[in-house]
Amino acid sequence: MDTTTNHTTTPETASATDKRATSMTAVVRHRYGGPESIELDRLDVPTPKSGQVVVEVAASAIDRGVVHLMTGLPLLIRIAGFGLFRPKQPVLGSDVAGRVVAVGADGGRFQVGDEVMGVADGAFAEYAVADVDKLVLRPSNVSVEDAAVSTISGITALQALTAVGRVTPGQRVLVIGASGGVGSFAVQIATALGAQVTGVASAKNLDNVRTLGAVHAVDHGMTPIDEIGSTFDLIIDIAGRNPLRRLRRALAPTGTLVIVGGEDGGTITGGTGRNVRAILLSMFSRQRLTAFISKESTEFIEPLAEMLADGSIAPLVGARTDLAGVADAIATFDQHGVAGKTLVRLEGA
Ligand SMILES: NC(=O)c1ccc[n+]([C@@H]2O[C@H](COP(=O)([O-])OP(=O)(O)OC[C@H]3O[C@@H](n4cnc5c(N)ncnc54)[C@H](OP(=O)(O)O)[C@@H]3O)[C@@H](O)[C@H]2O)c1
């Protein structure tokens, strides 16, 4: 992601614009911190650089990445380019659904008026810039709300299962963190691809996990993953931070582990040492142990949009808010968890 902000640039690269507002309401922060560090403010409407468009945002979503970017933790995020001492991008939010209102040079196939979904830079605002290679046209039978909550978590789940996990029909797949943003998509996509899914979540979310398509739902408070009673061809580890030795006991002798994430891994690296150890260990094992960073690209957004359009997946939306309620919604998500995604719906959009 380009972490520089376009909020003060002039519109010389815009080749097509409509008569839109010059200022907008946005969820803004100028330092890393908790939900108390963010506020509603007025900003200039961003302008598109080459290869970008401006989207009038109809809806966005909260996911774990929003919390990481808000707090600047783990610290690795800051070194990765999001701002060492303060955030480079004052506006939070990545998931987006809305209408194109300005097209920069090299705006690709997009035109003013196109309804789109994908990834934007600073989507908790009335307008946001987006790279054209992170947007697709929103299928006409996919609602703004469903489109807005799907991209970030959905493409992560899709890549974990397909490009990285190489899932095949009939495989036994274990999804750890099955009730959350990424997990709720992983259960549905794996099921749609013909896998037999076991989902791990807390007791209160087991019904949700079954409704999403899991054949078995396991309470992580009751049953450790290596005591479920079977081994798995593919484990998608999204949450829980199980030690590698336990993950490997739950994995078939030639199975594949895909580490997506997991919290409580420490404030410096977020526990990425586990990912590195897995990759190194994989060289000496018949088990394939992997970890990856999701690629934000139309290569994955297109097939995700198709799955939404043909009804093979439907997002689980556990909470919703407007721009003014984003800080409270992030606090609820962080402290209590939310089943599936939290929708951010802009009033009147
Ligand atoms: N690799 C990448 O590129 C990438 C991309 C996106 C996200 N991520 C990472 O993936 C992780 C999940 O993101 P998310 O947005 O899906 O977060 P999320 O919505 O908070 O989902 C996490 C889920 O994990 C469950 N959980 C908590 N403790 C657990 C345990 N001990 N065992 C099993 N499940 C447990 C929670 O459900 P219950 O309350 O039901 O337990 C929660 O719903 C984060 O660490 C995030 O940073 C990585």
Side-chain angles (χ1 to χ4, degrees), residues 62-66 68 74 152-153 155-157 159 175-184 199-206 209 218-221 225 237-242 259-264 270 275 291-296 333-334 336-342:
I62 293 168
D63 71 315
R64 187 55 57 182
V66 167
H68 290 308
I152 294 288
S153 302
I155 60 170
T156 304
Q159 287 170 73
V175 177
I176 305 171
S179 63
V182 179
S184 58
V200 181
S202 60
K204 68 177 188 297
N205 283 323
L206 295 184
V209 172
V218 175
D219 175 1
H220 58 69
I225 56 155
D237 183 18
I238 303 163
R241 302 210 53 76
N242 282 284
I259 299 177
V260 177
E263 300 301 305
D264 303 326
N275 303 14
F292 79 109
I293 303 285
S294 173
K295 188 175 163 196
E296 295 171 349
F333 168 75
D334 196 29
H336 306 292
V338 165
K341 295 290 293 264
T342 299

Side-chain angles (χ1 to χ4, degrees), residues 195-244:
Q196 297 283 308
V197 179
T198 298
V200 181
S202 60
K204 68 177 188 297
N205 283 323
L206 295 184
D207 284 345
N208 273 326
V209 172
R210 287 188 201 97
T211 304
L212 292 167
V215 179
H216 304 291
V218 175
D219 175 1
H220 58 69
M222 295 293 289
T223 311
I225 56 155
D226 53 348
E227 292 178 20
I228 290 173
S230 58
T231 57
F232 297 90
D233 303 305
L234 175 60
I235 298 180
I236 307 294
D237 183 18
I238 303 163
R241 302 210 53 76
N242 282 284
L244 277 180

Side-chain angles (χ1 to χ4, degrees), residues 35-221:
E36 73 290 345
S37 64
I38 64 180
E39 59 187 9
L40 277 189
D41 203 353
R42 298 290 296 176
L43 289 183
D44 290 346
V45 171
T47 52
K49 294 178 182 170
S50 181
Q52 293 183 328
V53 299
V54 173
V55 177
E56 184 179 14
V57 180
S60 181
I62 293 168
D63 71 315
R64 187 55 57 182
V66 167
V67 178
H68 290 308
L69 291 178
M70 178 184 74
T71 57
L73 297 173
L75 294 171
L76 201 57
I77 283 179
R78 305 187 191 197
I79 299 161
F82 289 94
L84 216 46
F85 301 108
R86 66 178 65 85
K88 285 184 184 169
Q89 164 59 287
V91 186
L92 286 166
S94 299
D95 267 319
V96 75
R99 188 169 56 92
V100 172
V101 294
V103 181
D106 285 335
R109 59 215 160 111
F110 295 108
Q111 297 176 357
V112 168
D114 282 346
E115 292 288 339
V116 291
M117 60 177 281
V119 181
D121 190 15
F124 295 166
E126 291 174 303
Y127 298 89
V129 285
D131 294 343
V132 293
D133 59 3
K134 296 183 181 183
L135 284 182
V136 301
L137 294 173
R138 174 168 61 85
S140 56
N141 65 339
V142 176
S143 71
V144 156
E145 285 87 353
D146 281 359
V149 297
S150 292
T151 301
I152 294 288
S153 302
I155 60 170
T156 304
L158 184 62
Q159 287 170 73
L161 286 159
T162 58
V164 187
R166 303 172 198 161
V167 69
T168 55
Q171 279 192 327
R172 293 157 298 161
V173 175
L174 182 70
V175 177
I176 305 171
S179 63
V182 179
S184 58
F185 282 100
V187 172
Q188 293 187 74
I189 294 170
T191 302
L193 295 175
Q196 297 283 308
V197 179
T198 298
V200 181
S202 60
K204 68 177 188 297
N205 283 323
L206 295 184
D207 284 345
N208 273 326
V209 172
R210 287 188 201 97
T211 304
L212 292 167
V215 179
H216 304 291
V218 175
D219 175 1
H220 58 69

